[in-house]
Amino acid sequence: MRAHPRLAGRCGPRPAVRAREHLQATASAGAREDRRARLDRWAARKRRHVSPRSGSASVLAELLRLGPLEIQLEYEGTSFSEWSVPGTCSVKNKRSPKTELRCSAGIQVIKPIVTGPDLEEERYFPMENSYFCFLWYHKAINLPDNLTQVIVWVYDPESADPSELLWTADEPSLDSEALSKHLAAMGQKPTIHTTQRRKLYFPHEQMKNGAWHFSVPVAEDDVVTEIKGNEVAFFDCFVADTLFLLTFPFLAIPETPGFLPISSPRGSQLMASRANCVPSSVVVVADMETFQTNDSFRTWVKIRVPPNILTDDERHSVSDVNLTKDGIFLLINGILYIKNFTAFTRLGSNVNLPDSGIIGITSRKWCWLNYLLKDEGIRSSMAIWTENEVYLGYTFPKFVKIGTTEMLKKLVNMSSAATLTIHNVEYTGHPLELGLLLSYCITCEVTKTIYLVIYNEDTKQWVYQDFALDVTIDTFLHLYFTHSALPEFILWDKQRIYYYYHNLKDKGVLQTSTESGNLSRLSQDSNIHDVFIDYFGNIVIKMENNVMFYSKVSAEDAVKLHLWTSNRIKSLISLDSSGQVYLIYVFENGEIQRQEYPLILEAHSAIFKTEEKCPYWEFHNNIFVAFYLLDKGQNLSFWALIVYPENTGLYIIVESYGPKILDKKQQVHYETALGYSIKNMTVTFSQNINYEAVDDYFTLQHQNTGLLLIQVRFSEFAKICPITQKVFQIAVGCDAKKFIAVKGFHKKECRHHDFYYRIEKTYLRDRPSKHLRVKYDWEKYGCPLRLNFKEKFHPLLQLYNDENYVEDVEVNFIVWEIHGRDDYSFNNTMKKSGCLKEAQTWKSMTQLNKHLPLEEAWGPENYKHCFSYAIGKPGDLNQPYEIINKSNNNHLVWPVDHYGMYVFRVKILDPNYSFCNLTAIFAIETFGVIPSPRTYLVAAILFLLMLLFLSLLALSYLYYYLRIYSAFIDVPLHNPETKQKND
């Protein structure tokens, strides 16, 4: 191995920092040493010195300077003699290749002195004081039901266990456990915040073994999380907030005994594919094996294929690789294969792909967790192309051809005699766009012209860009779009980098101090192997012999970085889920090693000699998320502030890319004093469309919805600056997480059961010939509200977003009984509500729209108010007014001659309220009315009663007169004895 220096900056909490963007290595002197001594006495434990790799640059948040105590120095090689350090530093063992260095604040120059003709480069370390000495360690364990257990504790990088510094620890070390418990006793308690949905999670009540435990649900669109603690200081030391990604893991495909290796051709360079939103999931193809990892190569497996499917030559002919949720796609001799948990399958006409002739596959480089598709489709996950066709791949997997070169010729009336082929394809920085490099030539012998066309997955439109580049006929150009709102990208061949920034207006070859940008000549005639770009604009160009160059998006030059890796090792640059840049080493024996790489530390050291200065000192803004969704009537305002030297003329530029659906207004406030200048720009994006009473409501809505990308950048820039630009989305359209509910209705305070009931045919709107039997579906309708028939009811609508209450709905809405009942009314009349013309009603709207179902006959698309003489027609204003809002005191009233079960649907009627079709269901059961008996039953009872009465009367009559008659029968009218006596 060629001897080379590797300075591992032992920069306080920096070695394992997972929280902040562009952390700068810093140092403090005696104060921190005393603090460590006091901490040692408090904990009564032995101090251990751990040698991590150099302090690294995280790329996940805003600028924060962390202050180190010491630097661990390490030199690899046999020619080491001693360390050359400045007088403000003290070294533990000057002649040891591995030692400790302590320095005071300032720029410290450190250099290894070696024997032999080769001289080593010095490193420049910026050292500064800081109150952030401790860090949060987090470990995520995936649980069922999309839950993740997050274990959190505090650790001090100076006394941490090696497993904590390497992020392989499962539990706190003894030192970290003692530190966490002590801070907890002082009031420290972490919380987990999500950046997109603004969720807040608290730990379980009790600590376990010196660690806090969280149960956090995982959401695909809310993976960026931050651990924040209370402002608790221990010996003037605080715990730095930590950002990390909490994602669904890509499960590694297990190794199967008897399967065979699959690789790239012998002697080829490494190739890799990373999951754009899960950076810890990576597949690397080497010339002897293929490897997969879920944890940034802390562990890995080998990807192998079943025997008897590929020949030996085919198994060692992988030319491209792509990692998606469906599996690992491998391109072998123009044929696409997929390796997943269950099979290794050849793809072709069975999935609408060519059976051969595929020349490339690619996937998205940038993670956009949220985006807006107007047609409610799905976004592609990969692109596949031949020389003349391009396909988009979706999950399952599914593939769709979206274009051909013949079609692209016709777009610009290109000559049929010309040869047009697809040169290269990459996804842009836009979440819905794809860029194609097209190769154009006539004779195709010496040169060809490269054109760029962009395809939008939402609009399905192809747009040629103002780009043309003449290259030799055998030149192949790689393409990489930057993280920007406007189409910006870099190209590279074997020797040079071509940049196209600021909507392709700034372009050229990336320059170097010598050789006019020919990086091959500056790296011993090696070719460009790979280019790494992160979200903050850092660009690292890696050569095949591991020489690296550094640049920045918007910068027009590059600097050569200090030598870090031997030219005999094959390596790649990658990024883990905490924003840590690391190198992947693949050795000939099939082993892999991961090593953290201090990108910003190394870049600043390389730039130091150039005396380059950042044109601004501070940049602040209130753009906290990457995706903003605006509904009708909503505006978005944000501010951005820069502090810069007086009289330099620096200013902020706000650019947008996308449909012209928002108005933009800018205000700039300027202050200057004592050599400082401050510019604070406030920008407001607003809507001004009125959707009421328009001819084509849905077309107007479609025309004024869409996705805009916004970027905030500076008029001047330098490589030493921490950030190039701020990029975020503004979507105008329907938020799928938004819904309405009627206040007071829920599913908790009633017995959960389904039941059936009957609606009389006379109570139904269409007056059918039969009664209607209805099933009450509790899951859909929830608990019914029981009301006495004398009680009126006024629905109060509430707006929610992702289960969070937003506001009471104050605009107009309508209700209707979903089973067709119309035996209810409203207490307000049109006249009482202030109508000047007859208002719309369900009866009039259904008659007007007989071809539509009831729920579509009336809505915001055809709503017209009645408060103008110019709208509507004269009519009877004593009719019930069937439109309700929060303040018009219009109530539902119930019939008094029967009770019933009513299931209502409510719909927002105001056309300017939302792009969403907001509806809700609620049920009401009336009671208290005694059912009226039936007529024939009453008549029958009355008849029986009268019959009974007459019968009793007849019987009593007969009984009375029979008694009289019987008395006269028993006693004669004259007495015969008396007559005889008289005789």
Side-chain angles (χ1 to χ4, degrees), residues 442-664:
I442 301 294
T443 60
C444 303
E445 294 178 354
V446 180
T447 63
K448 59 185 177 183
T449 303
I450 304 297
Y451 294 104
L452 175 66
V453 62
I454 290 180
Y455 174 76
N456 187 288
E457 292 189 49
D458 192 19
T459 63
K460 307 295 189 296
Q461 293 181 344
W462 296 87
V463 179
Y464 275 88
Q465 304 298 305
D466 185 16
F467 168 85
L469 179 64
D470 293 328
V471 295
T472 58
I473 198 68
D474 59 345
T475 297
F476 181 78
L477 293 175
H478 300 266
L479 173 65
Y480 203 136
F481 285 89
T482 65
H483 184 61
S484 58
L486 305 176
E488 299 180 2
F489 57 90
I490 61 172
L491 301 171
W492 69 92
D493 52 24
K494 293 181 178 181
Q495 292 86 28
R496 288 182 171 83
I497 301 289
Y498 305 86
Y499 63 85
Y500 293 84
Y501 298 142
H502 307 149
N503 203 19
L504 313 185
K505 295 178 181 177
D506 295 341
K507 54 188 176 182
V509 176
L510 202 64
Q511 294 298 308
T512 52
S513 57
T514 59
E515 303 296 346
S516 302
N518 190 320
L519 304 183
S520 181
R521 294 178 184 173
L522 294 172
S523 54
Q524 297 80 47
D525 295 326
S526 182
N527 296 326
I528 298 175
H529 168 219
D530 191 25
V531 174
F532 168 84
I533 307 178
D534 66 18
Y535 287 89
F536 294 90
N538 297 303
I539 301 176
V540 180
I541 302 105
K542 179 193 163 299
M543 311 300 287
E544 291 180 355
N545 63 356
N546 293 325
V547 173
M548 293 187 288
F549 298 86
Y550 176 80
S551 185
K552 201 92 168 185
V553 172
S554 298
E556 299 177 358
D557 63 331
V559 295
K560 188 176 181 180
L561 293 173
H562 305 300
L563 185 62
W564 186 269
T565 304
S566 168
N567 60 0
R568 299 179 182 179
I569 300 176
K570 292 182 178 181
S571 66
L572 276 173
I573 306 172
S574 194
L575 194 71
D576 65 17
S577 59
S578 296
Q580 172 71 50
V581 178
Y582 69 98
L583 296 175
I584 303 168
Y585 298 142
V586 179
F587 300 95
E588 291 295 332
N589 60 0
E591 292 298 315
I592 288 185
Q593 179 182 339
R594 163 206 164 98
Q595 184 185 60
E596 292 185 0
Y597 180 68
L599 174 59
I600 300 303
L601 193 67
E602 291 292 286
H604 286 188
S605 177
I607 297 172
F608 181 79
K609 286 184 178 180
T610 66
E611 299 183 355
E612 180 180 283
K613 302 294 182 183
C614 184
Y616 63 88
W617 290 327
E618 296 287 343
F619 171 61
H620 301 282
N621 60 79
N622 66 339
I623 305 168
F624 300 120
V625 296
F627 181 80
Y628 295 90
L629 181 54
L630 302 184
D631 209 335
K632 289 178 181 177
Q634 293 181 335
N635 302 327
L636 175 66
S637 294
F638 65 89
W639 56 263
L641 179 146
I642 53 172
V643 181
Y644 59 95
E646 189 177 4
N647 298 326
T648 57
L650 195 66
Y651 56 92
I652 300 173
I653 300 173
V654 178
E655 299 169 308
S656 63
Y657 177 77
K660 307 299 182 182
I661 56 178
L662 292 176
D663 295 332
K664 184 175 74 171

Side-chain angles (χ1 to χ4, degrees), residues 566-856:
S566 168
N567 60 0
R568 299 179 182 179
I569 300 176
K570 292 182 178 181
S571 66
L572 276 173
I573 306 172
S574 194
L575 194 71
D576 65 17
S577 59
S578 296
Q580 172 71 50
V581 178
Y582 69 98
L583 296 175
I584 303 168
Y585 298 142
V586 179
F587 300 95
E588 291 295 332
N589 60 0
E591 292 298 315
I592 288 185
Q593 179 182 339
R594 163 206 164 98
Q595 184 185 60
E596 292 185 0
Y597 180 68
L599 174 59
I600 300 303
L601 193 67
E602 291 292 286
H604 286 188
S605 177
I607 297 172
F608 181 79
K609 286 184 178 180
T610 66
E611 299 183 355
E612 180 180 283
K613 302 294 182 183
C614 184
Y616 63 88
W617 290 327
E618 296 287 343
F619 171 61
H620 301 282
N621 60 79
N622 66 339
I623 305 168
F624 300 120
V625 296
F627 181 80
Y628 295 90
L629 181 54
L630 302 184
D631 209 335
K632 289 178 181 177
Q634 293 181 335
N635 302 327
L636 175 66
S637 294
F638 65 89
W639 56 263
L641 179 146
I642 53 172
V643 181
Y644 59 95
E646 189 177 4
N647 298 326
T648 57
L650 195 66
Y651 56 92
I652 300 173
I653 300 173
V654 178
E655 299 169 308
S656 63
Y657 177 77
K660 307 299 182 182
I661 56 178
L662 292 176
D663 295 332
K664 184 175 74 171
K665 182 179 179 181
Q666 297 182 179
Q667 290 183 336
V668 179
H669 179 71
Y670 176 79
E671 294 181 9
T672 182
L674 302 175
Y676 294 85
S677 293
I678 301 175
K679 280 185 181 177
N680 188 354
M681 174 182 285
T682 302
V683 183
T684 301
F685 288 93
S686 59
Q687 307 173 67
N688 61 0
I689 305 298
N690 183 7
Y691 295 91
E692 185 174 348
V694 296
D695 294 333
D696 194 336
Y697 173 83
F698 294 110
T699 299
L700 185 63
Q701 273 199 149
H702 192 271
Q703 291 173 348
N704 288 279
T705 56
L707 184 66
L708 283 81
L709 263 65
I710 312 296
Q711 69 183 21
V712 182
R713 64 180 180 88
F714 318 102
S715 57
E716 298 179 22
F717 188 75
K719 298 186 298 298
I720 199 70
C721 295
I723 186 172
T724 57
Q725 56 199 13
K726 193 79 173 182
V727 182
F728 62 98
Q729 298 180 65
I730 301 179
V732 181
C734 174
D735 186 352
K737 301 183 184 69
K738 184 180 290 187
F739 65 93
I740 59 173
V742 182
K743 184 178 181 180
F745 289 83
H746 39 70
K747 296 184 179 180
K748 297 180 180 179
E749 296 185 2
C750 65
R751 188 164 63 93
H752 302 174
H753 70 290
D754 296 345
F755 57 89
Y756 290 88
Y757 62 95
R758 189 177 71 169
I759 303 176
E760 297 288 336
K761 60 185 179 181
T762 56
Y763 305 153
L764 294 171
R765 187 184 304 273
D766 297 330
R767 301 297 185 266
S769 59
K770 296 181 180 180
H771 305 307
L772 180 65
R773 188 169 184 261
V774 176
K775 178 184 177 181
Y776 188 91
D777 190 335
W778 180 87
E779 283 295 332
K780 291 182 180 179
Y781 308 149
C783 298
L785 177 65
R786 288 176 53 83
L787 290 177
N788 189 284
F789 74 94
K790 297 179 182 180
E791 295 182 68
K792 299 180 292 185
F793 179 70
H794 180 83
L796 176 60
L797 301 189
Q798 294 180 322
L799 180 67
Y800 290 83
N801 193 315
D802 195 22
E803 304 298 333
N804 297 317
Y805 169 80
V806 177
E807 64 182 5
D808 288 347
V809 177
E810 299 186 358
V811 300
N812 291 338
F813 59 90
I814 52 176
V815 299
W816 70 97
E817 213 281 335
I818 65 173
H819 300 304
R821 299 188 73 140
D822 64 351
D823 57 331
Y824 61 91
S825 188
F826 302 84
N827 68 318
N828 278 2
T829 64
M830 299 178 187
K831 184 176 181 180
K832 184 179 178 180
S833 299
C835 288
L836 301 176
K837 293 290 184 71
E838 183 177 325
Q840 293 174 326
T841 62
W842 276 110
K843 182 178 180 181
S844 64
M845 296 307 292
T846 52
Q847 289 177 350
L848 187 64
N849 300 286
K850 294 180 180 180
H851 61 290
L852 296 175
L854 177 65
E855 60 271 13
E856 297 180 13

Side-chain angles (χ1 to χ4, degrees), residues 20 23 121 269 277 303 318 329 401 413 462 536 574 598 712 762 913 963 965-966:
R20 298 292 178 189
L23 302 174
E121 296 178 296
Q269 293 292 318
C277 290
I303 301 300
V318 176
F329 291 87
K401 182 165 68 174
N413 296 321
W462 296 87
F536 294 90
S574 194
V712 182
T762 56
Y913 186 70
R963 285 184 61 192
Y965 181 71
S966 64

